[in-house]
Amino acid sequence: MTRRIFSLLMLLAWSPFVLAEGPAGDPQAGYEHLVNTPYLPRYFDQETFDNVWRVWPEPLKSQAEKATPEERRQMAFDRYGLTGRPEDPTKPLQYVVDKKGEWTLNCFSCHGGQMEGKTIPGLPNNRFDFAGITDEIRLTKAMLGKKLIPGDYSSLVFPLGENKGTTNAVNFGVALMSLRDADLNVVPGASFPKMLHHDMEPPPWWHFAKKENIYLDGFAPKGHRGLLQFTLVRENDAQAFRDREADFRDVYAYLSSLEAPKYPGKVDATKAEAGRIVFNRQCSECHGTYGDQADYPERMIPIDEIKTDRARFDSLTPAHRQGYGDSWFNSYGQQEGLIADPEGYVAPPLDGVWATAPYLHNGSVPTLWHLLHPDQRPKIWRWSGSSYDHQRMGIDAEALDEFPKGLSAMERREVFNTTRLGKSAAGHDYPNALTEEEKSAVLEYLKTL
């Protein structure tokens, strides 16, 4: 049972591994595959979702009882970080829902977010509560007398994410790959290695097109095969990955087609131009240039230089990375570019950075203003709502002196504690070299990317 539980944990679109150069595919077909094809076992049915409000705490439960079915649905969407699809708001972007009303998690659970009421496929979903929906769906199934599946127990035995919008994605991949051989056959008697559990903020999908290698440490050459790794549940045998390869050529094409959303607010053009000059002088060496002379260097920064939280860096060993590189996902090592022992983290492109709060790879910094002011990053902060802070560019957050007491599990996931393992907001202190005027100009310039 334990292995089956772990095998159902790889429910994320962007596991910590990927591969091989992808042949041309159809971007629209790729999107349709993601929202309409269940690549994982079904998770729950429509009846369960329609009744999940019955396990909510008061006064929310009473509010839901008095609401219409449509209002209750929206309350559930808001509670768990779900959104309607751009083409059909009545359907959840983050789940495949078949004709029988069976719900199956898809890639957009982590990579389909919302900005000021607008759903943006490819945007990191900073409101998704993986642990919360898992716990409350399990309770609802038990209340309705429905059969539980291994995935219902996952949050009880494996950390899913200490904060909303984050997941333990790297260790999902480590756990599931440890059960397979290079051909992706399940190995009888295989056991899980020791893992350093930590949370990650998903990257925006529109960065995919710019990169040769992906993931924070840039170890994996990108390609269509590795995108299938999120389906490494035991129910999928080795042949299933071969059978779905054509689908994921289309998914690869879809990811490659995405572009960053444009900032919807006002921009001070004069100030932004001053910020562009400062940015190109101080930041472009790592993050690249934009506009007519766009160039992305894909530069890896040694961990002792960047000094951001190193739990992600320490969580994968050279053996983990090489094991992936020798597998079918990487064409048994034929795909060039694998980095088994990287030095640190790769500085990401900043297209659409205004929309991707919170910042740093673990989501520890609530706004771009805080990113530009390292000494003023809050040690403990809490979401103040779902509105966007246009002044500081990011989450509308409240700084706290200490972690509040007496919170429910879901309320605790609204509070970010940077003193926890893997949660540090330290590092990336390069903005300290800028004056306050220069920081303000750079902040304005970042709106234009």
Side-chain angles (χ1 to χ4, degrees):
M1 174 65 76
T2 300
R3 286 181 190 151
R4 284 175 56 84
I5 292 172
F6 272 111
S7 71
L8 284 172
L9 288 170
M10 195 49 141
L11 302 176
L12 306 174
W14 203 278
S15 84
F17 309 107
V18 170
L19 164 109
E21 184 177 353
D26 181 346
Q28 182 58 36
Y31 174 79
E32 296 294 335
H33 293 321
L34 292 176
V35 296
N36 293 324
T37 305
Y39 295 105
L40 300 165
R42 67 96 175 170
Y43 183 26
F44 54 87
D45 60 19
Q46 189 66 49
E47 182 185 18
T48 300
F49 188 77
D50 290 343
N51 283 276
V52 70
W53 64 272
R54 298 180 185 278
V55 304
W56 291 350
E58 294 290 0
L60 192 63
K61 179 180 177 180
S62 293
Q63 293 170 5
E65 186 174 17
K66 297 174 183 178
T68 65
E70 292 76 17
E71 291 170 338
R72 283 198 293 266
R73 174 185 176 278
Q74 188 58 53
M75 291 173 71
F77 271 38
D78 293 342
R79 184 167 176 81
Y80 303 125
L82 309 183
T83 70
R85 300 178 189 177
E87 74 280 7
D88 186 352
T90 67
K91 296 181 179 180
L93 177 65
Q94 293 78 15
Y95 284 81
V96 176
V97 183
D98 66 19
K99 294 181 180 179
K100 295 181 179 180
E102 300 287 352
W103 288 50
T104 304
L105 198 68
N106 69 25
C107 302
F108 288 113
S109 58
C110 292
H111 297 278
Q114 197 170 66
M115 175 58 64
E116 297 195 315
K118 180 181 179 181
T119 298
I120 304 176
L123 176 70
N125 188 356
N126 60 21
R127 299 300 292 160
F128 183 54
D129 191 347
F130 196 6
I133 193 170
T134 300
D135 289 344
E136 295 188 344
I137 287 294
R138 179 179 66 250
L139 292 174
T140 306
K141 285 184 176 182
M143 178 189 68
L144 297 175
K146 293 181 179 289
K147 181 180 179 180
L148 299 182
I149 64 172
D152 291 314
Y153 300 98
S154 58
S155 63
L156 300 176
V157 297
F158 197 96
L160 300 185
E162 193 170 308
N163 286 98
K164 291 183 178 181
T166 66
T167 62
N168 190 12
V170 172
N171 283 321
F172 297 164
V174 171
L176 298 184
M177 279 295 291
S178 69
L179 301 180
R180 305 264 180 164
D181 62 18
D183 294 319
L184 307 187
N185 296 302
V186 175
V187 178
S191 60
F192 302 111
K194 183 178 180 180
M195 290 174 277
L196 177 63
H197 293 298
H198 63 288
D199 291 345
M200 290 284 295
E201 183 83 5
W205 266 353
W206 54 79
H207 288 173
F208 187 80
K210 283 194 168 186
K211 295 186 173 185
E212 295 297 328
N213 280 40
I214 58 175
Y215 303 124
L216 183 62
D217 57 7
F219 90 89
K222 73 177 181 181
H224 69 283
R225 280 190 177 184
L227 296 175
L228 273 158
Q229 195 189 12
F230 85 99
T231 67
L232 266 175
V233 294
R234 291 179 65 89
E235 286 79 358
N236 290 332
D237 61 18
Q239 185 58 42
F241 301 96
R242 280 81 173 168
D243 294 341
R244 294 167 175 173
E245 191 172 359
D247 285 6
F248 277 77
R249 289 190 180 96
D250 294 333
V251 172
Y252 181 102
Y254 171 68
L255 298 186
S256 301
S257 74
L258 293 176
E259 297 180 353
K262 293 183 178 180
Y263 179 65
K266 295 181 179 179
V267 178
D268 184 327
T270 301
K271 190 175 183 179
E273 174 59 19
R276 183 190 67 81
I277 294 171
V278 176
F279 181 92
N280 286 347
R281 184 184 73 238
Q282 296 290 123
C283 313
S284 62
E285 181 180 355
C286 296
H287 293 292
T289 55
Y290 302 83
D292 294 338
Q293 304 297 322
D295 179 64
Y296 173 57
E298 201 161 355
R299 181 182 175 191
M300 183 177 294
I301 315 300
I303 189 65
D304 292 333
E305 177 184 335
I306 189 67
K307 297 179 181 177
T308 51
D309 193 287
R310 61 177 295 142
R312 165 65 176 84
F313 179 76
D314 294 332
S315 63
L316 287 179
T317 67
H320 288 143
R321 298 184 185 93
Q322 192 61 55
Y324 167 83
D326 293 338
S327 74
W328 179 85
F329 287 126
N330 198 47
S331 297
Y332 305 104
Q334 294 180 27
Q335 177 73 11
E336 296 182 358
L338 183 84
I339 305 173
D341 193 10
E343 294 181 281
Y345 298 143
V346 176
L350 298 183
D351 310 71
V353 67
W354 66 270
T356 61
Y359 298 99
L360 297 185
H361 66 273
N362 56 6
S364 59
V365 179
T367 72
L368 284 171
W369 185 92
H370 288 105
L371 193 66
L372 291 169
H373 294 80
D375 296 337
Q376 298 188 56
R377 296 171 190 167
K379 287 187 177 180
I380 302 174
W381 57 271
R382 173 167 53 192
W383 288 74
S384 296
S386 58
S387 60
Y388 184 79
D389 184 342
H390 284 272
Q391 181 178 358
R392 291 192 168 187
M393 305 295 290
I395 289 171
D396 187 6
E398 173 191 7
L400 304 175
D401 294 329
E402 60 182 12
F403 200 94
K405 298 179 181 179
L407 300 181
S408 68
M410 187 165 283
E411 290 170 334
R412 287 197 299 272
R413 288 191 290 275
E414 293 271 357
V415 183
F416 203 106
N417 185 354
T418 68
T419 68
R420 299 271 297 174
L421 174 68
K423 295 287 189 178
S424 173
H428 193 274
D429 55 7
Y430 309 110
N432 286 335
L434 304 178
T435 67
E436 194 61 34
E437 183 179 5
E438 288 173 329
K439 292 178 183 179
S440 181
V442 168
L443 189 64
E444 193 72 12
Y445 173 62
L446 294 177
K447 297 177 182 178
T448 71
L449 304 186

